Amino acid sequence: MRLRALLETDALGLRLLGGDEELDRSVRGVMTTDLRDPSRYLSGGELVLTGLAWHRDAKDSEPFVRILSGAGVAGLAAGEAELGAIPDDLIEACRHHRLPLFAVNETVAFATITEHVVRQVSGERAGDLAAVVDRHRRLMTSGPAGGGPEVVLDLLGSDLDLHAWVLSPTGRQIAGAGAPLSGPAGAELAGLHLAAVRSGRRAPHRATVDGVTYSLFPIRNHGRGAVPASRDVRESVLSDWLLAVEADAGDWSAARLDLLQGVTQLIAVERDRRDAARTVRRRLAQEVLELVQAGAPPTEIAARLRVAAPVLLPGLGSAPHWQVVVARVEWTEADAPGGTGSGIAGGPVAQALLEEILVDPAVTGPDSADRIAVAHTGDEAIALVPLPALSGARPEADEAGEEAPADGPALHADALLAAVRAPLSAGLADDGRLTLGVSASVHSPEGLRGALEEARHARRVAAARPGRVCAAGHHELASHVLLLPFVPDDVRRAFTARLLDPLRDYDLRHRAELIPTLEAFLDCDGSWTRCAARLHLHVNTLRYRIGRIEQLTGRDLSRLEDKLDFFLALRMS
Protein backbone atom coordinates (compact mmCIF):
# COMPACT_ATOMS: atom_id res chain seq x y z
CA MET A 1 0.00 0.00 0.00
CA ARG A 2 0.98 3.67 -0.42
CA LEU A 3 1.33 6.20 2.38
CA ARG A 4 -1.25 8.34 0.60
CA ALA A 5 -3.90 5.70 1.32
CA LEU A 6 -3.52 6.25 5.07
CA LEU A 7 -4.79 9.82 4.76
CA GLU A 8 -7.83 8.60 2.81
CA THR A 9 -8.99 6.43 5.73
CA ASP A 10 -10.90 8.68 8.13
CA ALA A 11 -11.02 6.04 10.88
CA LEU A 12 -7.24 6.31 11.33
CA GLY A 13 -7.43 9.99 12.28
CA LEU A 14 -4.05 10.87 10.75
CA ARG A 15 -2.93 14.42 9.93
CA LEU A 16 -0.02 15.06 7.60
CA LEU A 17 2.56 17.41 9.13
CA GLY A 18 5.17 17.21 6.40
CA GLY A 19 6.46 15.19 3.47
CA ASP A 20 3.50 15.49 1.07
CA GLU A 21 5.89 15.02 -1.84
CA GLU A 22 6.83 11.56 -0.51
CA LEU A 23 3.33 10.11 -0.10
CA ASP A 24 3.78 7.60 -2.92
CA ARG A 25 6.21 5.57 -0.82
CA SER A 26 5.24 1.91 -0.38
CA VAL A 27 4.42 0.62 3.10
CA ARG A 28 5.52 -2.99 3.66
CA GLY A 29 4.91 -3.25 7.39
CA VAL A 30 4.38 -1.42 10.65
CA MET A 31 6.38 -1.14 13.89
CA THR A 32 5.63 0.49 17.24
CA THR A 33 8.59 1.77 19.24
CA ASP A 34 9.64 4.24 21.90
CA LEU A 35 13.31 3.26 21.80
CA ARG A 36 15.83 6.00 21.11
CA ASP A 37 17.55 3.71 18.62
CA PRO A 38 15.21 1.12 17.08
CA SER A 39 17.47 0.44 14.08
CA ARG A 40 18.10 -3.22 14.93
CA TYR A 41 14.37 -3.93 14.58
CA LEU A 42 13.88 -2.15 11.24
CA SER A 43 14.18 -3.79 7.84
CA GLY A 44 12.96 -0.90 5.65
CA GLY A 45 9.54 0.09 4.31
CA GLU A 46 7.80 0.28 7.72
CA LEU A 47 5.39 2.86 9.01
CA VAL A 48 6.88 3.59 12.42
CA LEU A 49 4.45 4.43 15.25
CA THR A 50 5.80 6.19 18.33
CA GLY A 51 4.29 7.61 21.50
CA LEU A 52 7.27 10.01 21.84
CA ALA A 53 8.34 8.60 25.22
CA TRP A 54 11.92 8.86 23.95
CA HIS A 55 11.60 12.66 23.49
CA ARG A 56 13.14 14.56 26.42
CA ASP A 57 14.24 17.78 24.74
CA ALA A 58 14.75 19.31 21.30
CA LYS A 59 18.14 17.60 20.81
CA ASP A 60 16.52 14.14 20.74
CA SER A 61 14.59 14.50 17.48
CA GLU A 62 17.45 14.82 14.98
CA PRO A 63 19.27 11.55 15.89
CA PHE A 64 15.99 9.63 16.11
CA VAL A 65 14.80 10.74 12.65
CA ARG A 66 18.28 10.23 11.18
CA ILE A 67 18.21 6.59 12.34
CA LEU A 68 14.76 6.02 10.81
CA SER A 69 15.75 7.63 7.54
CA GLY A 70 18.95 5.59 7.36
CA ALA A 71 16.95 2.39 7.91
CA GLY A 72 14.70 3.24 4.94
CA VAL A 73 11.36 3.47 6.75
CA ALA A 74 8.36 4.70 4.76
CA GLY A 75 7.07 7.23 7.28
CA LEU A 76 6.68 8.22 10.93
CA ALA A 77 3.39 8.58 12.84
CA ALA A 78 3.64 10.27 16.24
CA GLY A 79 0.93 10.06 18.89
CA GLU A 80 -0.40 13.23 20.55
CA ALA A 81 -1.35 11.52 23.82
CA GLU A 82 2.08 11.89 25.48
CA LEU A 83 3.08 15.48 24.68
CA GLY A 84 -0.06 16.98 23.16
CA ALA A 85 1.10 18.84 20.08
CA ILE A 86 3.89 17.27 18.04
CA PRO A 87 7.18 19.10 18.88
CA ASP A 88 8.41 21.57 16.26
CA ASP A 89 11.92 20.10 16.44
CA LEU A 90 10.54 16.73 15.33
CA ILE A 91 8.68 18.33 12.43
CA GLU A 92 11.85 20.15 11.37
CA ALA A 93 13.99 16.98 11.60
CA CYS A 94 11.52 15.04 9.43
CA ARG A 95 11.47 17.89 6.88
CA HIS A 96 15.28 17.90 6.79
CA HIS A 97 15.46 14.14 6.17
CA ARG A 98 12.44 14.13 3.79
CA LEU A 99 10.60 11.68 6.06
CA PRO A 100 6.78 11.93 5.92
CA LEU A 101 5.36 12.75 9.36
CA PHE A 102 1.80 12.09 10.57
CA ALA A 103 0.12 13.12 13.80
CA VAL A 104 -2.04 10.44 15.44
CA ASN A 105 -5.05 11.73 17.35
CA GLU A 106 -5.04 10.68 20.99
CA THR A 107 -8.41 8.95 20.49
CA VAL A 108 -6.92 6.51 17.96
CA ALA A 109 -5.08 3.44 19.25
CA PHE A 110 -1.86 2.38 17.57
CA ALA A 111 -3.31 -1.11 17.37
CA THR A 112 -6.03 0.24 15.06
CA ILE A 113 -3.45 1.66 12.65
CA THR A 114 -1.34 -1.49 12.90
CA GLU A 115 -4.24 -3.77 12.06
CA HIS A 116 -5.31 -1.60 9.13
CA VAL A 117 -1.83 -1.55 7.60
CA VAL A 118 -1.38 -5.28 8.06
CA ARG A 119 -4.71 -6.03 6.40
CA GLN A 120 -3.92 -3.81 3.47
CA VAL A 121 -0.41 -5.17 2.99
CA SER A 122 -1.47 -8.80 3.18
CA GLY A 123 -4.50 -8.27 0.97
CA GLU A 124 -6.68 -10.48 3.18
CA ARG A 125 -8.03 -10.75 6.71
CA ALA A 126 -5.64 -13.59 7.62
CA GLY A 127 -6.92 -14.42 11.07
CA ASP A 128 -3.60 -15.78 12.30
CA LEU A 129 -1.80 -12.51 11.56
CA ALA A 130 -4.59 -10.39 13.00
CA ALA A 131 -4.45 -12.35 16.22
CA VAL A 132 -0.85 -11.35 16.72
CA VAL A 133 -1.45 -7.75 15.74
CA ASP A 134 -4.49 -7.40 18.03
CA ARG A 135 -2.27 -8.19 20.99
CA HIS A 136 0.78 -6.26 19.84
CA ARG A 137 0.30 -3.51 22.42
CA ARG A 138 -0.20 -5.95 25.29
CA LEU A 139 2.98 -7.77 24.33
CA MET A 140 4.88 -4.49 24.40
CA THR A 141 3.47 -3.50 27.79
CA SER A 142 6.06 -3.88 30.53
CA GLY A 143 5.42 -6.00 33.59
CA PRO A 144 3.07 -8.94 34.13
CA ALA A 145 0.32 -7.42 31.97
CA GLY A 146 2.52 -7.73 28.91
CA GLY A 147 3.25 -11.39 29.42
CA GLY A 148 6.64 -11.29 27.77
CA PRO A 149 7.62 -13.68 24.96
CA GLU A 150 5.21 -16.34 26.22
CA VAL A 151 2.25 -14.26 24.98
CA VAL A 152 3.24 -14.35 21.34
CA LEU A 153 4.37 -18.00 21.59
CA ASP A 154 0.95 -18.89 22.99
CA LEU A 155 -0.63 -17.13 20.01
CA LEU A 156 1.54 -19.08 17.59
CA GLY A 157 0.33 -22.27 19.23
CA SER A 158 -3.37 -21.42 19.48
CA ASP A 159 -3.82 -19.61 16.16
CA LEU A 160 -1.23 -21.23 13.90
CA ASP A 161 -0.78 -24.59 15.62
CA LEU A 162 2.98 -23.92 15.81
CA HIS A 163 5.09 -25.07 18.75
CA ALA A 164 7.92 -22.65 19.36
CA TRP A 165 10.62 -21.88 21.91
CA VAL A 166 12.93 -18.94 22.52
CA LEU A 167 16.46 -20.20 23.22
CA SER A 168 19.64 -18.56 24.42
CA PRO A 169 22.84 -18.96 22.35
CA THR A 170 23.75 -21.93 24.55
CA GLY A 171 20.36 -23.61 24.03
CA ARG A 172 18.87 -22.72 27.42
CA GLN A 173 15.11 -22.19 27.19
CA ILE A 174 14.09 -18.55 27.69
CA ALA A 175 10.41 -19.03 26.91
CA GLY A 176 8.14 -21.60 25.35
CA ALA A 177 4.56 -22.64 24.84
CA GLY A 178 3.64 -26.16 25.85
CA ALA A 179 6.14 -28.88 26.72
CA PRO A 180 9.70 -27.62 27.20
CA LEU A 181 12.54 -28.77 24.99
CA SER A 182 15.00 -31.15 26.58
CA GLY A 183 18.37 -29.65 27.51
CA PRO A 184 20.32 -31.72 24.95
CA ALA A 185 17.85 -30.87 22.17
CA GLY A 186 18.07 -27.15 22.96
CA ALA A 187 21.87 -27.25 23.01
CA GLU A 188 21.98 -29.11 19.69
CA LEU A 189 19.58 -26.65 18.05
CA ALA A 190 21.62 -23.73 19.33
CA GLY A 191 24.79 -25.29 17.96
CA LEU A 192 23.24 -25.88 14.54
CA HIS A 193 21.93 -22.32 14.48
CA LEU A 194 25.29 -20.82 15.44
CA ALA A 195 27.07 -22.91 12.82
CA ALA A 196 24.60 -21.73 10.17
CA VAL A 197 25.02 -18.08 11.16
CA ARG A 198 28.83 -18.37 11.06
CA SER A 199 28.66 -19.96 7.61
CA GLY A 200 26.60 -17.03 6.31
CA ARG A 201 23.53 -19.09 5.44
CA ARG A 202 20.27 -17.20 5.02
CA ALA A 203 17.68 -17.61 7.79
CA PRO A 204 15.50 -19.41 8.64
CA HIS A 205 17.80 -22.36 9.17
CA ARG A 206 16.38 -25.87 8.85
CA ALA A 207 17.51 -28.38 11.48
CA THR A 208 16.56 -31.92 12.43
CA VAL A 209 17.05 -33.18 15.99
CA ASP A 210 15.86 -36.60 17.18
CA GLY A 211 13.84 -37.02 13.98
CA VAL A 212 11.97 -33.71 14.45
CA THR A 213 12.35 -30.86 11.94
CA TYR A 214 12.73 -27.30 13.23
CA SER A 215 13.10 -23.89 11.61
CA LEU A 216 15.48 -21.56 13.42
CA PHE A 217 15.04 -17.78 13.26
CA PRO A 218 17.59 -15.33 14.71
CA ILE A 219 15.99 -12.90 17.14
CA ARG A 220 17.49 -9.72 15.81
CA ASN A 221 16.91 -7.24 13.02
CA HIS A 222 16.07 -8.71 9.60
CA GLY A 223 16.11 -7.57 6.01
CA ARG A 224 18.14 -4.78 4.49
CA GLY A 225 19.21 -3.23 7.78
CA ALA A 226 20.07 -6.49 9.52
CA VAL A 227 23.85 -6.50 9.46
CA PRO A 228 25.45 -3.35 8.06
CA ALA A 229 28.48 -3.95 5.90
CA SER A 230 30.72 -2.52 8.59
CA ARG A 231 29.40 -4.86 11.26
CA ASP A 232 31.00 -8.25 11.92
CA VAL A 233 28.54 -11.02 12.77
CA ARG A 234 31.00 -12.25 15.42
CA GLU A 235 30.13 -9.21 17.53
CA SER A 236 26.68 -10.61 18.31
CA VAL A 237 26.57 -14.28 17.31
CA LEU A 238 27.36 -15.45 20.86
CA SER A 239 24.71 -13.29 22.51
CA ASP A 240 21.64 -13.30 20.23
CA TRP A 241 18.58 -15.34 21.15
CA LEU A 242 16.91 -17.59 18.58
CA LEU A 243 13.37 -18.76 17.88
CA ALA A 244 13.01 -22.49 17.27
CA VAL A 245 9.74 -23.47 15.55
CA GLU A 246 8.73 -27.10 15.18
CA ALA A 247 7.98 -26.95 11.46
CA ASP A 248 9.68 -26.81 8.09
CA ALA A 249 9.59 -23.17 6.97
CA GLY A 250 10.54 -24.27 3.47
CA ASP A 251 6.87 -25.18 2.95
CA TRP A 252 5.53 -21.81 4.12
CA SER A 253 4.04 -18.98 2.13
CA ALA A 254 5.74 -15.59 2.03
CA ALA A 255 2.99 -14.18 4.28
CA ARG A 256 3.67 -16.71 7.02
CA LEU A 257 7.41 -16.14 6.79
CA ASP A 258 6.81 -12.40 7.19
CA LEU A 259 4.67 -13.11 10.22
CA LEU A 260 7.41 -15.12 11.91
CA GLN A 261 9.97 -12.44 11.11
CA GLY A 262 7.65 -9.95 12.79
CA VAL A 263 7.33 -12.21 15.81
CA THR A 264 11.11 -12.29 16.21
CA GLN A 265 11.15 -8.50 16.19
CA LEU A 266 8.53 -8.36 18.93
CA ILE A 267 10.59 -10.75 21.04
CA ALA A 268 13.71 -8.71 20.27
CA VAL A 269 12.07 -5.68 21.89
CA GLU A 270 11.45 -7.78 24.98
CA ARG A 271 15.08 -8.92 24.88
CA ASP A 272 16.16 -5.29 24.77
CA ARG A 273 14.15 -4.59 27.90
CA ARG A 274 15.66 -7.55 29.71
CA ASP A 275 19.14 -6.37 28.79
CA ALA A 276 18.36 -2.92 30.14
CA ALA A 277 17.57 -4.52 33.51
CA ARG A 278 21.16 -5.74 33.69
CA THR A 279 22.53 -2.22 33.61
CA VAL A 280 22.47 -1.78 37.39
CA ARG A 281 24.19 -5.10 38.06
CA ARG A 282 26.83 -4.38 35.42
CA ARG A 283 27.50 -0.95 36.91
CA LEU A 284 27.87 -2.40 40.41
CA ALA A 285 30.34 -4.97 39.14
CA GLN A 286 32.28 -2.28 37.27
CA GLU A 287 32.51 -0.09 40.36
CA VAL A 288 33.72 -2.93 42.58
CA LEU A 289 36.21 -4.05 39.93
CA GLU A 290 37.66 -0.54 39.58
CA LEU A 291 38.07 -0.26 43.35
CA VAL A 292 39.75 -3.67 43.59
CA GLN A 293 42.14 -3.01 40.71
CA ALA A 294 43.01 0.45 42.05
CA GLY A 295 43.99 -1.01 45.45
CA ALA A 296 41.24 0.88 47.30
CA PRO A 297 41.01 0.45 51.10
CA PRO A 298 39.04 -2.64 52.14
CA THR A 299 36.52 -0.45 53.97
CA GLU A 300 35.65 1.34 50.72
CA ILE A 301 35.28 -1.96 48.85
CA ALA A 302 33.17 -3.37 51.72
CA ALA A 303 30.85 -0.38 51.51
CA ARG A 304 30.33 -0.95 47.80
CA LEU A 305 29.71 -4.66 48.40
CA ARG A 306 27.03 -3.80 50.96
CA VAL A 307 25.28 -1.85 48.21
CA ALA A 308 25.67 -4.69 45.73
CA ALA A 309 24.51 -7.53 47.97
CA PRO A 310 20.82 -6.49 48.27
CA VAL A 311 20.60 -6.03 44.49
CA LEU A 312 22.16 -9.39 43.67
CA LEU A 313 20.74 -11.38 46.57
CA PRO A 314 17.43 -9.80 47.66
CA GLY A 315 16.43 -10.68 51.19
CA LEU A 316 19.85 -12.02 52.10
CA GLY A 317 20.26 -11.97 55.87
CA SER A 318 24.05 -12.07 56.00
CA ALA A 319 27.00 -11.07 53.89
CA PRO A 320 27.68 -13.50 51.05
CA HIS A 321 30.80 -15.18 49.89
CA TRP A 322 32.01 -14.04 46.48
CA GLN A 323 33.67 -15.79 43.59
CA VAL A 324 35.39 -14.14 40.66
CA VAL A 325 35.16 -15.58 37.13
CA VAL A 326 37.28 -14.20 34.29
CA ALA A 327 36.50 -14.94 30.64
CA ARG A 328 38.16 -13.94 27.39
CA VAL A 329 36.93 -14.34 23.82
CA GLU A 330 39.56 -14.00 21.13
CA TRP A 331 39.17 -14.00 17.35
CA THR A 332 41.87 -14.51 14.77
CA GLU A 333 42.01 -13.69 11.09
CA ALA A 334 42.74 -16.34 8.47
CA ASP A 335 45.72 -14.35 7.19
CA ALA A 336 47.17 -13.79 10.65
CA PRO A 337 47.95 -17.22 12.15
CA GLY A 338 48.46 -17.00 15.87
CA GLY A 339 47.44 -13.34 15.85
CA THR A 340 44.44 -11.51 17.29
CA GLY A 341 44.06 -8.83 14.67
CA SER A 342 40.33 -9.20 14.04
CA GLY A 343 39.55 -5.71 15.34
CA ILE A 344 36.57 -7.04 17.33
CA ALA A 345 36.30 -5.78 20.91
CA GLY A 346 36.48 -8.96 22.97
CA GLY A 347 35.26 -7.49 26.27
CA PRO A 348 31.58 -6.89 25.40
CA VAL A 349 31.32 -10.26 23.64
CA ALA A 350 32.80 -12.05 26.66
CA GLN A 351 30.54 -10.06 29.00
CA ALA A 352 27.32 -11.13 27.29
CA LEU A 353 28.55 -14.70 27.00
CA LEU A 354 29.64 -14.95 30.64
CA GLU A 355 26.24 -13.66 31.79
CA GLU A 356 24.71 -16.65 29.99
CA ILE A 357 27.28 -19.24 31.02
CA LEU A 358 26.85 -18.45 34.72
CA VAL A 359 23.14 -19.30 34.59
CA ASP A 360 22.20 -22.84 35.55
CA PRO A 361 21.30 -24.47 32.18
CA ALA A 362 18.36 -26.22 33.84
CA VAL A 363 16.79 -22.87 34.80
CA THR A 364 14.31 -21.44 32.29
CA GLY A 365 13.24 -17.86 31.80
CA PRO A 366 15.08 -14.63 31.00
CA ASP A 367 15.29 -13.38 34.61
CA SER A 368 17.47 -16.19 35.92
CA ALA A 369 20.64 -14.07 35.66
CA ASP A 370 19.45 -11.62 38.33
CA ARG A 371 22.26 -12.66 40.69
CA ILE A 372 25.07 -12.23 38.22
CA ALA A 373 27.08 -9.03 37.82
CA VAL A 374 29.57 -8.95 34.95
CA ALA A 375 31.86 -6.07 34.02
CA HIS A 376 34.40 -5.90 31.23
CA THR A 377 37.76 -4.25 30.93
CA GLY A 378 39.82 -4.42 27.78
CA ASP A 379 39.32 -7.81 26.15
CA GLU A 380 38.24 -9.71 29.27
CA ALA A 381 34.97 -9.99 31.18
CA ILE A 382 34.97 -10.28 34.95
CA ALA A 383 32.02 -11.66 36.92
CA LEU A 384 31.39 -11.02 40.58
CA VAL A 385 29.21 -13.93 41.66
CA PRO A 386 27.66 -13.83 45.16
CA LEU A 387 27.15 -17.03 47.13
CA PRO A 388 25.04 -17.10 50.29
CA ALA A 389 27.20 -17.18 53.42
CA LEU A 390 27.64 -20.75 54.65
CA SER A 391 26.57 -21.55 58.18
CA GLY A 392 29.47 -23.96 58.53
CA ALA A 393 32.13 -21.53 57.36
CA ARG A 394 34.88 -20.72 59.85
CA PRO A 395 34.86 -17.01 60.80
CA GLU A 396 38.66 -16.96 60.89
CA ALA A 397 38.74 -18.39 57.37
CA ASP A 398 36.35 -15.67 56.22
CA GLU A 399 38.56 -12.95 57.64
CA ALA A 400 41.57 -14.39 55.84
CA GLY A 401 39.70 -14.55 52.54
CA GLU A 402 40.10 -18.33 52.34
CA GLU A 403 38.08 -20.72 50.26
CA ALA A 404 34.62 -21.70 51.46
CA PRO A 405 33.95 -25.30 52.55
CA ALA A 406 33.99 -27.78 49.67
CA ASP A 407 30.34 -28.70 50.22
CA GLY A 408 29.16 -25.12 49.67
CA PRO A 409 27.38 -23.84 46.55
CA ALA A 410 30.60 -22.78 44.84
CA LEU A 411 31.14 -22.60 41.08
CA HIS A 412 33.37 -25.21 39.49
CA ALA A 413 35.16 -24.52 36.22
CA ASP A 414 34.48 -27.88 34.58
CA ALA A 415 30.79 -27.84 35.45
CA LEU A 416 30.29 -24.34 34.04
CA LEU A 417 31.14 -25.38 30.51
CA ALA A 418 29.82 -28.95 30.49
CA ALA A 419 26.41 -28.12 28.99
CA VAL A 420 27.48 -25.27 26.72
CA ARG A 421 30.75 -26.47 25.19
CA ALA A 422 29.20 -27.92 22.00
CA PRO A 423 27.00 -24.97 20.94
CA LEU A 424 29.65 -22.40 21.82
CA SER A 425 32.27 -24.29 19.84
CA ALA A 426 29.96 -24.06 16.82
CA GLY A 427 29.61 -20.31 17.29
CA LEU A 428 33.35 -19.83 17.71
CA ALA A 429 33.95 -21.91 14.56
CA ASP A 430 37.57 -22.02 13.36
CA ASP A 431 38.58 -18.50 14.31
CA GLY A 432 37.30 -17.98 17.86
CA ARG A 433 38.32 -19.16 21.30
CA LEU A 434 36.79 -18.88 24.77
CA THR A 435 38.92 -19.34 27.90
CA LEU A 436 37.63 -19.06 31.43
CA GLY A 437 39.12 -19.06 34.94
CA VAL A 438 37.37 -19.43 38.31
CA SER A 439 38.67 -18.29 41.71
CA ALA A 440 38.06 -19.78 45.10
CA SER A 441 35.27 -18.16 47.12
CA VAL A 442 36.17 -15.36 49.53
CA HIS A 443 34.25 -13.38 52.10
CA SER A 444 36.28 -10.36 53.09
CA PRO A 445 36.99 -7.38 50.82
CA GLU A 446 40.70 -8.09 51.32
CA GLY A 447 40.22 -11.39 49.51
CA LEU A 448 38.77 -9.94 46.29
CA ARG A 449 42.04 -8.69 44.83
CA GLY A 450 43.62 -12.09 45.33
CA ALA A 451 40.52 -13.79 43.91
CA LEU A 452 40.73 -11.63 40.79
CA GLU A 453 44.38 -12.49 40.21
CA GLU A 454 43.64 -16.14 40.95
CA ALA A 455 40.87 -16.22 38.34
CA ARG A 456 43.15 -14.53 35.80
CA HIS A 457 45.92 -17.06 36.43
CA ALA A 458 43.41 -19.89 36.08
CA ARG A 459 42.27 -18.45 32.74
CA ARG A 460 45.88 -18.45 31.52
CA VAL A 461 46.13 -22.10 32.47
CA ALA A 462 42.97 -22.75 30.43
CA ALA A 463 44.46 -20.81 27.51
CA ALA A 464 47.44 -23.18 27.45
CA ARG A 465 45.14 -26.10 26.67
CA PRO A 466 43.93 -27.19 23.23
CA GLY A 467 40.31 -26.67 22.23
CA ARG A 468 37.90 -23.88 21.39
CA VAL A 469 36.27 -23.74 24.84
CA CYS A 470 38.49 -24.26 27.90
CA ALA A 471 38.25 -23.54 31.62
CA ALA A 472 40.42 -23.95 34.69
CA GLY A 473 39.72 -23.58 38.39
CA HIS A 474 41.66 -22.29 41.37
CA HIS A 475 42.44 -25.81 42.58
CA GLU A 476 44.69 -26.32 39.54
CA LEU A 477 46.97 -23.44 40.52
CA ALA A 478 48.78 -25.52 43.11
CA SER A 479 50.06 -27.98 40.51
CA HIS A 480 52.64 -27.96 37.73
CA VAL A 481 50.06 -26.72 35.22
CA LEU A 482 50.40 -23.23 36.68
CA LEU A 483 53.85 -23.03 35.10
CA LEU A 484 52.87 -24.14 31.60
CA PRO A 485 51.13 -20.95 30.37
CA PHE A 486 54.26 -18.92 31.07
CA VAL A 487 56.61 -21.08 28.98
CA PRO A 488 57.32 -19.29 25.64
CA ASP A 489 55.68 -20.94 22.66
CA ASP A 490 58.94 -21.59 20.84
CA VAL A 491 60.40 -23.27 23.93
CA ARG A 492 57.29 -25.42 24.30
CA ARG A 493 57.41 -26.51 20.67
CA ALA A 494 61.12 -27.33 20.81
CA PHE A 495 60.77 -29.29 24.05
CA THR A 496 57.81 -31.40 22.90
CA ALA A 497 59.31 -31.97 19.43
CA ARG A 498 62.59 -33.23 20.85
CA LEU A 499 60.85 -35.83 23.01
CA LEU A 500 57.74 -36.79 21.07
CA ASP A 501 58.48 -36.33 17.34
CA PRO A 502 60.65 -39.50 17.14
CA LEU A 503 57.78 -41.47 18.66
CA ARG A 504 55.15 -39.94 16.36
CA ASP A 505 57.27 -40.66 13.28
CA TYR A 506 57.79 -44.26 14.38
CA ASP A 507 54.05 -44.69 15.01
CA LEU A 508 53.25 -43.36 11.54
CA ARG A 509 55.61 -45.81 9.88
CA HIS A 510 54.93 -48.90 12.00
CA ARG A 511 51.55 -48.31 13.71
CA ALA A 512 53.30 -49.19 16.94
CA GLU A 513 51.13 -46.99 19.24
CA LEU A 514 54.14 -45.81 21.25
CA ILE A 515 52.51 -42.49 22.22
CA PRO A 516 49.35 -44.14 23.67
CA THR A 517 51.58 -46.69 25.42
CA LEU A 518 53.67 -43.90 26.97
CA GLU A 519 50.56 -42.06 28.18
CA ALA A 520 49.14 -45.20 29.77
CA PHE A 521 52.46 -46.10 31.38
CA LEU A 522 52.72 -42.70 33.04
CA ASP A 523 49.04 -42.76 34.10
CA CYS A 524 49.72 -46.09 35.84
CA ASP A 525 52.70 -44.59 37.71
CA GLY A 526 55.10 -46.93 35.93
CA SER A 527 53.32 -50.11 37.04
CA TRP A 528 53.97 -52.84 34.44
CA THR A 529 51.08 -55.05 35.44
CA ARG A 530 48.45 -52.30 35.67
CA CYS A 531 49.56 -50.74 32.41
CA ALA A 532 49.59 -54.08 30.57
CA ALA A 533 46.09 -54.83 31.87
CA ARG A 534 44.80 -51.41 30.79
CA LEU A 535 46.23 -51.85 27.28
CA HIS A 536 45.26 -55.54 27.08
CA LEU A 537 48.88 -56.46 26.37
CA HIS A 538 51.26 -59.11 27.63
CA VAL A 539 53.82 -57.61 30.01
CA ASN A 540 56.64 -58.64 27.67
CA THR A 541 54.99 -56.72 24.79
CA LEU A 542 54.72 -53.68 27.03
CA ARG A 543 58.39 -53.98 28.02
CA TYR A 544 59.34 -54.15 24.32
CA ARG A 545 57.40 -50.96 23.57
CA ILE A 546 58.88 -49.06 26.52
CA GLY A 547 62.33 -50.22 25.45
CA ARG A 548 61.68 -48.91 21.96
CA ILE A 549 60.59 -45.52 23.42
CA GLU A 550 63.80 -45.31 25.44
CA GLN A 551 65.88 -46.29 22.44
CA LEU A 552 64.29 -43.66 20.16
CA THR A 553 64.52 -40.81 22.69
CA GLY A 554 67.66 -41.68 24.64
CA ARG A 555 65.67 -41.46 27.90
CA ASP A 556 65.26 -43.92 30.79
CA LEU A 557 61.71 -44.32 32.05
CA SER A 558 62.91 -45.79 35.31
CA ARG A 559 64.29 -42.33 36.20
CA LEU A 560 61.90 -39.80 37.80
CA GLU A 561 63.39 -36.87 35.82
CA ASP A 562 62.72 -38.55 32.49
CA LYS A 563 59.21 -39.57 33.51
CA LEU A 564 58.50 -35.95 34.45
CA ASP A 565 59.88 -34.66 31.14
CA PHE A 566 57.66 -37.03 29.17
CA PHE A 567 54.65 -36.11 31.33
CA LEU A 568 55.12 -32.37 30.72
CA ALA A 569 55.74 -32.88 27.00
CA LEU A 570 52.46 -34.77 26.67
CA ARG A 571 50.60 -32.05 28.60
CA MET A 572 52.02 -29.30 26.41
CA SER A 573 51.55 -31.07 23.08
Side-chain angles (χ1 to χ4, degrees), residues 510-521:
H510 303 283
R511 299 182 181 179
E513 298 187 356
L514 296 185
I515 292 288
T517 301
L518 176 61
E519 290 175 331
F521 186 71

Side-chain angles (χ1 to χ4, degrees), residues 11 209 398:
V209 174
D398 288 344

Side-chain angles (χ1 to χ4, degrees), residues 238-258:
L238 296 177
S239 58
D240 286 339
W241 289 355
L242 68 134
L243 177 68
V245 182
E246 188 179 324
D248 188 348
D251 300 331
W252 290 357
S253 65
R256 179 162 289 204
L257 280 173
D258 287 344

Side-chain angles (χ1 to χ4, degrees), residues 461 476-487 564 567-568 571-572:
V461 169
E476 299 181 67
L477 301 186
S479 74
H480 65 279
V481 296
L482 177 60
L483 303 175
L484 300 185
F486 305 101
V487 178
L564 181 58
F567 177 77
L568 292 175
R571 292 300 297 267
M572 290 191 292

Side-chain angles (χ1 to χ4, degrees), residues 413-470:
D414 293 338
L416 281 177
L417 296 180
V420 302
R421 191 181 306 276
L424 292 185
S425 296
L428 292 163
D430 294 329
D431 57 353
R433 193 152 192 260
L434 165 68
T435 52
L436 183 145
V438 182
S439 78
S441 57
V442 296
H443 187 198
S444 68
E446 292 92 336
L448 278 178
R449 187 175 180 85
L452 176 58
E453 291 307 312
E454 192 173 56
R456 281 175 167 161
H457 279 302
R459 193 206 63 78
R460 292 190 193 102
V461 169
R465 295 172 175 166
R468 289 289 166 194
V469 181
C470 298

Side-chain angles (χ1 to χ4, degrees), residues 30-33 35 40-41 114 129 131-141 148-153 155-156 166 218-222 241 243 258-273:
V30 63
M31 178 196 176
T32 301
T33 184
L35 296 173
R40 65 182 296 187
Y41 310 119
T114 300
L129 184 56
V132 175
V133 174
D134 287 342
R135 295 172 71 178
H136 183 178
R137 175 170 289 184
R138 187 160 74 85
L139 179 68
M140 293 297 104
T141 304
E150 287 82 0
V151 171
V152 71
L153 297 185
L155 284 172
L156 290 178
V166 177
I219 297 179
R220 56 183 300 185
N221 189 17
H222 304 282
W241 289 355
L243 177 68
D258 287 344
L259 168 62
L260 265 293
Q261 298 288 7
V263 166
T264 64
Q265 293 189 12
L266 298 184
I267 298 173
V269 174
E270 182 70 11
R271 167 68 189 273
D272 195 63
R273 289 183 172 180

